[in-house]
Amino acid sequence: MTTEKQLVQTDIWDFLQSYTSARIARGRAGHSLPTKELLQFQADHAQARDAVYSSLDIQNIQDRILHETVVLQSKANTRAQYLQRPDWGRQLSEPSKQILKDIIDTPQDIAIVVADGLSANAVNTHAIPVVNGLLNVLIQHHWRIAPIALVEQGRVAVADEIASAFKAEIVLILIGERPGLSSPDSMGAYLTYQPSVGITDERRNCVSNIRPEGLNYPAAIEKILYLLTEMKTQQISGVNLKDEMQGKLLY
């Protein structure tokens, strides 16, 4: 009897696994994957699905972020609504709108938003060191910083409404990205100059794949600070703002 071990064929490209965690060159057993690789695929798929349904650890983030926070909710009350109605994830609930009206009425340089997005696990893991690293620099340079907004069931555009309420010149949202089979905990950062409700994505700049296995914390903080500085100096963002960070000194 022929065993699977005898059927397994190694892939000539398996050396590429030394350079990437992407699912590449996993071998074959007949017309299928080897059992080990098939089981790993199923496990990674389950982990990605779990990330989509994970919840924001509000208390831990509040306890560890070095700035005042405010907890908000999008118009989507449940995860099912969030997934089925993307437009509701871009809007604040009425109680959250009222909370913002009661907080602050003076212009701010920046509003920082932390939202669960499609992977709260990513935000729970990575947002705290990134936010605190940014705060350390921004406070030193006298940026006026609105309370950090923690948003449940939020999508990127919800940050525009929050920034408008805070009268913030720039908004930064840290959000869980769509989970991949090799990256269920990837966090993204979106930055916008002069945000307002209804703007489109060409007005935003994105820093993606923030996690130790991707863009590590120091590199992500440096990139975000560069973009914030350029936005404040040039008064533009999105497709109009070219990334010429290489060789420039930050702060």
Side-chain angles (χ1 to χ4, degrees):
M1 179 181 293
T2 303
T3 65
E4 185 192 48
K5 186 175 181 180
Q6 292 170 315
L7 288 172
V8 170
Q9 303 174 37
T10 58
D11 195 302
I12 62 172
W13 301 105
D14 63 356
F15 70 92
L16 293 174
Q17 294 183 39
S18 302
Y19 303 97
T20 177
S21 60
R23 185 165 270 96
I24 187 171
R26 299 297 181 171
R28 287 189 295 137
H31 295 293
S32 183
L33 288 169
T35 299
K36 177 183 176 182
E37 294 299 335
L38 179 59
L39 292 174
Q40 186 61 55
F41 173 86
Q42 292 172 337
D44 289 345
H45 186 261
Q47 192 174 32
R49 287 177 58 88
D50 287 345
V52 171
Y53 287 94
S54 57
S55 300
L56 207 57
D57 190 348
I58 296 289
Q59 190 61 58
N60 183 53
I61 296 173
Q62 284 186 303
D63 289 345
R64 296 176 59 192
I65 276 186
L66 305 175
H67 195 67
E68 178 187 356
T69 60
V70 57
V71 179
L72 305 173
Q73 171 80 37
S74 79
K75 194 175 177 180
N77 292 318
T78 66
R79 201 59 176 169
Q81 287 182 341
Y82 174 84
L83 295 173
Q84 294 168 8
R85 292 293 305 265
D87 55 322
W88 285 3
R90 302 183 186 109
Q91 306 170 53
L92 287 175
S93 66
E94 290 303 322
S96 292
K97 291 179 182 179
Q98 188 58 50
I99 288 173
L100 291 181
K101 287 181 181 178
D102 297 338
I103 288 181
I104 195 168
D105 194 35
T106 56
Q108 304 294 302
D109 293 316
I110 185 170
I112 299 176
V113 180
V114 176
D116 43 14
L118 287 168
S119 177
N121 285 343
V123 176
N124 293 336
T125 305
H126 309 309
I128 294 166
V130 173
V131 171
N132 285 342
L134 292 169
L135 289 172
N136 285 335
V137 177
L138 296 177
I139 291 171
Q140 287 177 20
H141 289 83
H142 310 293
W143 282 55
R144 294 169 298 174
I145 306 168
I148 309 297
L150 310 180
V151 184
E152 296 180 282
Q153 315 296 1
R155 294 184 182 268
V156 172
V158 76
D160 301 327
E161 186 172 4
I162 294 169
S164 296
F166 281 141
K167 299 181 181 178
E169 183 180 36
I170 298 172
V171 67
L172 160 67
I173 180 169
L174 300 174
I175 192 166
E177 296 183 313
R178 185 183 304 276
L181 291 175
S182 60
S183 56
D185 63 339
S186 179
M187 185 176 74
Y190 293 82
L191 306 91
T192 311
Y193 178 75
Q194 289 189 341
S196 59
V197 175
I199 65 170
T200 47
D201 287 342
E202 90 282 351
R203 291 273 304 278
R204 313 185 201 282
N205 292 85
C206 177
V207 180
S208 186
N209 197 28
I210 300 172
R211 59 193 185 104
E213 300 82 3
L215 188 66
N216 63 38
Y217 302 151
I221 291 168
E222 185 178 28
K223 175 67 73 174
I224 292 169
L225 287 172
Y226 164 78
L227 290 170
L228 291 175
T229 303
E230 292 299 298
M231 286 179 186
K232 197 168 182 62
T233 302
Q234 299 188 42
Q235 300 183 347
I236 53 175
S237 65
V239 296
N240 293 319
L241 179 59
K242 306 306 178 186
D243 186 349
E244 299 175 345
M245 177 177 166
Q246 188 173 2
K248 287 195 173 184
L249 295 175
L250 299 179
Y251 289 111

